[in-house]
Each structure stands twice: as C-alpha cells, then as structure tokens.
Amino acid sequence: MRLSLLDLAMVRSGQPIGEALADTVHLAQVADELGTFERLWFAEHHNMRSIGSSATAVLIAHVAARTERIRVGSGGVMLPNHAPLTVAEAFGTLAELHGDRIDLGLGRAPGTDQVTMRALRRNPADADRFPQDVLELQGYLSDQTRIEGIHAYPGEGTRVPIYILGSSLFGAQLAAQLGLPYAFASHFAPDHLQAAVRAYRDGFRPSEQLAEPYVIAALNVIAADTDEEADALRRQALSSRVRSLARRVPQLAHADLDDDIVAELMDTPVGQQARHMATYTVHGARERVAEGLADFQRLADADELMVANAASGRDARERTLHLLADIASA
C-alpha cells in the first residue's frame, strides 16, 4: 500500500503560528525517518486562521531542507492565483536545491473565499485558462517553452513532475488528456470520487511524463492505540472543522466559539457540512485503520492514498504516523 501525507500546517486555537510550523517540520522529519511514506504535500489556502501553509513554496523549501528522503511538494498550488512563469521559477529553484524530490500539484480553485480572491488580484475568469496555464507551465519546466523568448531560470529543463488536483470531472478529464497523474480531494469533497476516477482511467492518454494512469485519492485518518482513543480524537477533529467552517459565517466570524456553541452547531447546516466533508475518514486502532484503508483503496480504485492526518495535537498526529507506517510495512 503506497501512502503519502497531506499537511496544512494546522494551527490550533490559541497556538502561535511559529509553533504550528515547528510541529509541521517535526512531523515531516518523523515521516522521513520512518521511510514508509512516498511524499508529503502542502496545500495553498488563504485567509484561514487555522491553516499555516498559504506560502506553499516557502514551506516546501523549509521542510525539504530538513528532510532527506521523502518527496516534498504542493497539493496543491492554486495555479490561477499565480503567473505560470513565477511558479516555474519557484519550483525550478526548489528542484535545483533539492534534486528529484519536488512535486508540483496544481489546482484551479482559489483556495479561499470570493472576497479574499479579489485581494489576491485574481479574476474569477482566470480559472477558465487553467488548461492553457498548465501547458504553459509544462513548457517552462521542459526544454521547449511555449512562449517564444520567455524562459524560466531556474526551472527550464528541471521537468518537475506535475500532478492535476481536482474534486470534479473537469480535473479528471484534463489530467487524462494531458497524460498526468490525478489526485482527487476526497478528504473534503467526497461526492464525485468514483465517477472522476473512472473518467480519468477511461480517457487517459500516455505522455512523456506518464505511460499509464496513476490515481492518488485523499482521505482523513486518525489512528490511535485503542478504538476509544481514536473515537475521542475523531470528535475533536469534527469539532475543529465545525469551528473553522463557522468562522466563515459573517455573524460568527468574530464570535467566541467555545465547546458549548460548537456542540449546538453540530445540528445546523454547518455541522452537516462538516460531517459530509469528512465522509472519507478512517479512524481507530491499528486493525480497524488497516481495514479502512484497504476498503477505501478498493472503493477509490487508487494507486496511492494521500492521508490527511486529522488528529489534533502533535503527539496524536505523530502516533498516527507510526501506526500508519506499521500498517504499510505489514
């Protein structure tokens, strides 16, 4: 079973961001030392107080410099927020610094709300150019730029592998057409997983980067020494997600969302949304998690599973890593 990790550099309520980033580095080093995980990806999000991975390339550079084996990359860079040339230069620099350990996962969503999207100087229509921007970026990272006279230095010739991220048929069809690996964001957008994977596999065309289709499917995992401990951690994770979603509601953005209020929100549309987003969550002790991972891999028809480590707190997340490594090596 191929396992990888998705990290948002989660910032707990009241936690200094610097401390949260230090936790991220520590967990990356643990994953690297375990030698089980294929890759570690960081996701671009903006204007979310509980997520510290907004400057994705900066965090990748920091973590790659402090690990030795594990691949490090983006899951993903939201390409319409950036010029393809600047992405090529950033990830070309990473590749020159860290060799063949860098991945470039690309998405077309804003990674934020509509107001913040405008603060990013992004036009909603920019998403319509996503296929063209992917091709332009591919050109910069290869030896054949698609824009005459424009080259990525660093970047040109590095051939940083590109992955298409998505949660709908659009990304699946694009990845298939371009012959690129496809990663489905089922850890928070579960609805179209199976349909998207079928569309990708059915429509795949081999490319220079990839001869056969390759699917990565994401899910949330909480592993603990006992089922009861994992159940408690699952409740904490669900409460954290409810709290995060509630902060996007204007009337609740600055409210004191204590545990009692969060408990009341569980029976509202916010709570229902949080539970739906967590549809693909595996939690429990070792055996239950092993069975859940195998079941999900069959359901998703996935070549690799991307684990969002959903436990709250560094110690619990580190224990999840050790148990996952034990499962994968069994």
Side-chain angles (χ1 to χ4, degrees), residues 108-278:
R108 70 181 182 120
T112 190
D113 56 80
Q114 298 296 310
V115 176
T116 309
M117 185 174 70
R118 290 194 293 271
L120 290 166
R121 303 297 189 266
R122 172 174 169 172
N123 186 318
D126 291 342
D128 297 336
R129 283 192 46 83
F130 183 66
Q132 293 80 11
D133 285 348
V134 172
L135 290 171
E136 182 180 340
L137 178 53
Q138 274 188 311
Y140 290 137
L141 293 171
S142 71
D143 295 318
Q144 298 178 336
T145 179
R146 292 176 176 267
I147 309 298
E148 186 176 355
I150 305 299
H151 302 266
Y153 303 126
E156 188 169 271
T158 58
R159 289 181 170 78
V160 176
I162 290 175
Y163 299 72
I164 299 297
L165 279 59
S167 57
S168 69
L169 294 181
F170 178 89
Q173 292 165 344
L174 178 63
Q177 180 182 351
L178 298 181
L180 295 174
Y182 180 55
F184 193 91
S186 33
H187 63 299
F188 74 88
D191 291 339
H192 305 293
L193 170 62
Q194 292 175 294
V197 171
R198 282 196 301 270
Y200 170 70
R201 291 195 180 279
D202 290 346
F204 182 82
R205 301 176 185 175
S207 68
E208 181 182 347
Q209 179 178 328
L210 192 64
E212 297 179 350
Y214 193 84
V215 172
I216 302 173
L219 76 162
N220 306 289
V221 175
I222 299 173
D225 291 316
T226 65
D227 288 342
E228 293 75 17
E229 182 184 355
D231 290 342
L233 290 169
R234 170 78 188 275
R235 289 191 293 271
Q236 291 177 15
L238 182 60
S239 295
S240 295
R241 179 163 284 185
V242 169
R243 186 176 281 107
S244 178
L245 290 173
R247 297 228 178 261
R248 303 181 197 178
V249 179
Q251 298 90 326
L252 298 174
H254 303 291
D256 180 16
L257 300 178
D258 60 26
D259 292 342
D260 291 338
I261 294 177
V262 170
E264 293 177 5
L265 290 171
M266 287 292 179
D267 295 324
T268 70
V270 170
Q272 294 168 6
Q273 181 184 2
R275 283 192 291 271
H276 181 68
M277 291 172 69

